[in-house]
Amino acid sequence: MNHTLVASFSFALLVVIALLVREVRFRRSLQKLLHRLLSFWRFDAHEPTSTPCRGDPADRSGDRL
């Protein structure tokens, strides 16, 4: 009886440790992904945008018939 109880508690402890390790790895991978996304977004935010001038009639192709 005692051996079964110790074996089941040992197995439960092993499962809990394995789940915690997986959770930590998952959290770290999500942090890396978030860091990459934020650095990509911040890099794009500093680049100037090239939008055509609204007053230039040569850039407006929708007005021509």
Side-chain angles (χ1 to χ4, degrees):
M1 173 81 175
N2 256 351
H3 294 293
T4 308
L5 188 61
V6 169
S8 63
F9 277 130
S10 298
F11 183 70
L13 183 64
L14 182 66
V15 168
V16 167
I17 289 172
L19 289 175
L20 285 174
V21 167
R22 287 188 64 184
E23 189 273 332
V24 168
R25 287 182 185 168
F26 183 67
R27 183 175 50 95
R28 285 183 183 164
S29 65
L30 285 178
Q31 285 177 343
K32 286 180 184 178
L33 178 64
L34 182 63
H35 177 71
R36 286 181 183 175
L37 288 174
L38 287 176
S39 65
F40 180 74
W41 179 69
R42 288 179 185 158
F43 178 74
D44 284 346
H46 292 294
E47 290 184 3
T49 57
S50 60
T51 56
C53 214
R54 289 186 182 185
D56 192 5
D59 289 337
R60 292 184 284 172
S61 62
D63 292 342
R64 296 182 200 148
L65 294 176

